[in-house]
Amino acid sequence: GRIPALTPAAQQTLDAQAAIAREEQLGQVRADSPQSRSLADRCILGFNAGPPMTPGAYNNYVQITQGPGLITLLVEMVHDVRVVPVDGRPRLPSAIRQYKGESRGRWEGRTLIIETTNFLRETSFRGSSANLHLVERLTRLDANTLLYEFTVDDPKTWTKPWTAAIPMKRVDAPIYEYACHEG
């Protein structure tokens, strides 16, 4: 499969971001404040920590824990923790935005479904907008394998929704604290 085409507005935004990145590599851009830097540069969000959780070059471990009414996903990259209510509580008002969006989960058989909305505009998955609607599915295939699927729906960014699937293998290894230092 292929990721659908970007909308013209999204392509223009990504082109502008690429131009700034090239200038940064050449030392032609000054960071006058922390807000001039990306969230990953500022150690606020990991570039692959999600949502959605996508594999990167390193720090790909995820520890999933279930408690009464909640699921937590501890991602090794930047040591991010997402707390996902599964108790049916209402969503936050759409005016309340968060870096990782607002997630709500539910079970359908053996599959945990997590829907996330209310992203901050600064949060960007592959150029997505604050209107990103993300649906993640985690299904246990066997004792050592989860199938992680996510569907991205953002009409401001892509011409149609798209889905990716990533198998996740169980490992018996600790998650070490990821030390990130702004600057």
Side-chain angles (χ1 to χ4, degrees), residues 108-124:
E108 285 186 9
R110 298 177 341 141
T111 300
L112 172 64
I113 299 174
I114 303 171
E115 289 195 51
T116 306
T117 59
N118 294 14
F119 289 92
L120 274 174
R121 64 173 174 73
E122 294 91 350
T123 307
S124 178

mmCIF file of all heavy atoms in Angstrom, residues 108-124:
data_model
loop_
_atom_site.group_PDB
_atom_site.id
_atom_site.type_symbol
_atom_site.label_atom_id
_atom_site.label_comp_id
_atom_site.label_asym_id
_atom_site.label_seq_id
_atom_site.Cartn_x
_atom_site.Cartn_y
_atom_site.Cartn_z
ATOM 1 N N GLU A 108 -13.217 -4.618 21.927
ATOM 2 C CA GLU A 108 -14.086 -5.347 21.010
ATOM 3 C C GLU A 108 -13.478 -6.739 20.897
ATOM 4 O O GLU A 108 -12.506 -6.942 20.170
ATOM 5 C CB GLU A 108 -14.167 -4.667 19.642
ATOM 6 C CG GLU A 108 -15.017 -3.418 19.639
ATOM 7 C CD GLU A 108 -15.216 -2.812 18.262
ATOM 8 O OE1 GLU A 108 -14.834 -3.451 17.244
ATOM 9 O OE2 GLU A 108 -15.743 -1.689 18.205
ATOM 10 N N GLY A 109 -14.026 -7.660 21.675
ATOM 11 C CA GLY A 109 -13.447 -9.004 21.719
ATOM 12 C C GLY A 109 -12.038 -8.940 22.288
ATOM 13 O O GLY A 109 -11.818 -8.386 23.362
ATOM 14 N N ARG A 110 -11.071 -9.468 21.549
ATOM 15 C CA ARG A 110 -9.667 -9.478 21.991
ATOM 16 C C ARG A 110 -8.895 -8.255 21.539
ATOM 17 O O ARG A 110 -7.688 -8.183 21.708
ATOM 18 C CB ARG A 110 -8.972 -10.722 21.435
ATOM 19 C CG ARG A 110 -9.566 -12.015 21.924
ATOM 20 C CD ARG A 110 -8.943 -13.248 21.324
ATOM 21 N NE ARG A 110 -8.207 -13.023 20.097
ATOM 22 C CZ ARG A 110 -7.069 -13.621 19.776
ATOM 23 N NH1 ARG A 110 -6.529 -14.473 20.608
ATOM 24 N NH2 ARG A 110 -6.488 -13.385 18.625
ATOM 25 N N THR A 111 -9.580 -7.295 20.949
ATOM 26 C CA THR A 111 -8.910 -6.119 20.390
ATOM 27 C C THR A 111 -9.192 -4.886 21.230
ATOM 28 O O THR A 111 -10.354 -4.558 21.513
ATOM 29 C CB THR A 111 -9.380 -5.868 18.941
ATOM 30 O OG1 THR A 111 -9.065 -7.027 18.152
ATOM 31 C CG2 THR A 111 -8.694 -4.658 18.335
ATOM 32 N N LEU A 112 -8.137 -4.206 21.638
ATOM 33 C CA LEU A 112 -8.248 -2.911 22.301
ATOM 34 C C LEU A 112 -8.282 -1.858 21.207
ATOM 35 O O LEU A 112 -7.379 -1.799 20.361
ATOM 36 C CB LEU A 112 -7.062 -2.663 23.225
ATOM 37 C CG LEU A 112 -6.969 -1.251 23.820
ATOM 38 C CD1 LEU A 112 -8.165 -0.959 24.724
ATOM 39 C CD2 LEU A 112 -5.647 -1.093 24.572
ATOM 40 N N ILE A 113 -9.318 -1.040 21.205
ATOM 41 C CA ILE A 113 -9.447 0.036 20.228
ATOM 42 C C ILE A 113 -9.295 1.354 20.970
ATOM 43 O O ILE A 113 -9.987 1.609 21.963
ATOM 44 C CB ILE A 113 -10.801 -0.033 19.494
ATOM 45 C CG1 ILE A 113 -10.904 -1.354 18.749
ATOM 46 C CG2 ILE A 113 -10.966 1.164 18.551
ATOM 47 C CD1 ILE A 113 -12.214 -1.605 18.102
ATOM 48 N N ILE A 114 -8.384 2.178 20.486
ATOM 49 C CA ILE A 114 -8.123 3.483 21.093
ATOM 50 C C ILE A 114 -8.402 4.552 20.040
ATOM 51 O O ILE A 114 -7.801 4.534 18.964
ATOM 52 C CB ILE A 114 -6.664 3.608 21.576
ATOM 53 C CG1 ILE A 114 -6.323 2.492 22.555
ATOM 54 C CG2 ILE A 114 -6.429 4.983 22.184
ATOM 55 C CD1 ILE A 114 -4.846 2.412 22.909
ATOM 56 N N GLU A 115 -9.307 5.476 20.365
ATOM 57 C CA GLU A 115 -9.587 6.608 19.485
ATOM 58 C C GLU A 115 -9.011 7.860 20.125
ATOM 59 O O GLU A 115 -9.239 8.121 21.310
ATOM 60 C CB GLU A 115 -11.084 6.780 19.259
ATOM 61 C CG GLU A 115 -11.666 5.686 18.396
ATOM 62 C CD GLU A 115 -13.042 6.039 17.875
ATOM 63 O OE1 GLU A 115 -13.213 7.140 17.314
ATOM 64 O OE2 GLU A 115 -13.931 5.189 18.042
ATOM 65 N N THR A 116 -8.279 8.636 19.324
ATOM 66 C CA THR A 116 -7.623 9.830 19.834
ATOM 67 C C THR A 116 -7.967 11.024 18.956
ATOM 68 O O THR A 116 -7.871 10.954 17.728
ATOM 69 C CB THR A 116 -6.098 9.628 19.906
ATOM 70 O OG1 THR A 116 -5.817 8.437 20.664
ATOM 71 C CG2 THR A 116 -5.412 10.808 20.573
ATOM 72 N N THR A 117 -8.348 12.108 19.619
ATOM 73 C CA THR A 117 -8.654 13.386 18.968
ATOM 74 C C THR A 117 -8.070 14.499 19.838
ATOM 75 O O THR A 117 -7.343 14.226 20.793
ATOM 76 C CB THR A 117 -10.181 13.588 18.829
ATOM 77 O OG1 THR A 117 -10.768 13.544 20.130
ATOM 78 C CG2 THR A 117 -10.815 12.514 17.956
ATOM 79 N N ASN A 118 -8.402 15.739 19.541
ATOM 80 C CA ASN A 118 -8.019 16.911 20.340
ATOM 81 C C ASN A 118 -6.497 17.101 20.436
ATOM 82 O O ASN A 118 -5.958 17.413 21.491
ATOM 83 C CB ASN A 118 -8.612 16.854 21.745
ATOM 84 C CG ASN A 118 -10.113 16.955 21.766
ATOM 85 O OD1 ASN A 118 -10.773 16.822 20.739
ATOM 86 N ND2 ASN A 118 -10.688 17.190 22.927
ATOM 87 N N PHE A 119 -5.815 16.927 19.312
ATOM 88 C CA PHE A 119 -4.372 17.172 19.285
ATOM 89 C C PHE A 119 -4.099 18.675 19.274
ATOM 90 O O PHE A 119 -4.876 19.455 18.723
ATOM 91 C CB PHE A 119 -3.749 16.554 18.023
ATOM 92 C CG PHE A 119 -3.700 15.055 18.037
ATOM 93 C CD1 PHE A 119 -4.736 14.309 17.498
ATOM 94 C CD2 PHE A 119 -2.624 14.392 18.592
ATOM 95 C CE1 PHE A 119 -4.695 12.925 17.503
ATOM 96 C CE2 PHE A 119 -2.569 13.010 18.607
ATOM 97 C CZ PHE A 119 -3.614 12.272 18.059
ATOM 98 N N LEU A 120 -2.976 19.060 19.852
ATOM 99 C CA LEU A 120 -2.513 20.447 19.731
ATOM 100 C C LEU A 120 -2.013 20.688 18.321
ATOM 101 O O LEU A 120 -1.526 19.766 17.659
ATOM 102 C CB LEU A 120 -1.349 20.711 20.693
ATOM 103 C CG LEU A 120 -1.692 21.112 22.112
ATOM 104 C CD1 LEU A 120 -0.425 21.188 22.951
ATOM 105 C CD2 LEU A 120 -2.423 22.423 22.153
ATOM 106 N N ARG A 121 -2.063 21.905 17.869
ATOM 107 C CA ARG A 121 -1.576 22.211 16.515
ATOM 108 C C ARG A 121 -0.080 21.951 16.393
ATOM 109 O O ARG A 121 0.411 21.640 15.326
ATOM 110 C CB ARG A 121 -1.909 23.639 16.124
ATOM 111 C CG ARG A 121 -1.218 24.666 16.982
ATOM 112 C CD ARG A 121 -1.420 26.079 16.478
ATOM 113 N NE ARG A 121 -0.852 27.021 17.402
ATOM 114 C CZ ARG A 121 0.446 27.223 17.566
ATOM 115 N NH1 ARG A 121 1.322 26.546 16.866
ATOM 116 N NH2 ARG A 121 0.892 28.087 18.447
ATOM 117 N N GLU A 122 0.659 22.057 17.500
ATOM 118 C CA GLU A 122 2.105 21.839 17.434
ATOM 119 C C GLU A 122 2.459 20.365 17.264
ATOM 120 O O GLU A 122 3.549 20.034 16.874
ATOM 121 C CB GLU A 122 2.799 22.346 18.709
ATOM 122 C CG GLU A 122 2.730 23.819 18.915
ATOM 123 C CD GLU A 122 1.520 24.249 19.721
ATOM 124 O OE1 GLU A 122 0.606 23.426 19.977
ATOM 125 O OE2 GLU A 122 1.472 25.427 20.096
ATOM 126 N N THR A 123 1.559 19.489 17.623
ATOM 127 C CA THR A 123 1.795 18.065 17.480
ATOM 128 C C THR A 123 1.552 17.695 16.029
ATOM 129 O O THR A 123 0.536 18.035 15.468
ATOM 130 C CB THR A 123 0.853 17.266 18.392
ATOM 131 O OG1 THR A 123 0.977 17.779 19.712
ATOM 132 C CG2 THR A 123 1.195 15.806 18.396
ATOM 133 N N SER A 124 2.502 17.010 15.447
ATOM 134 C CA SER A 124 2.347 16.716 14.025
ATOM 135 C C SER A 124 2.854 15.319 13.720
ATOM 136 O O SER A 124 4.021 15.021 13.938
ATOM 137 C CB SER A 124 3.134 17.736 13.201
ATOM 138 O OG SER A 124 3.032 17.454 11.845
#
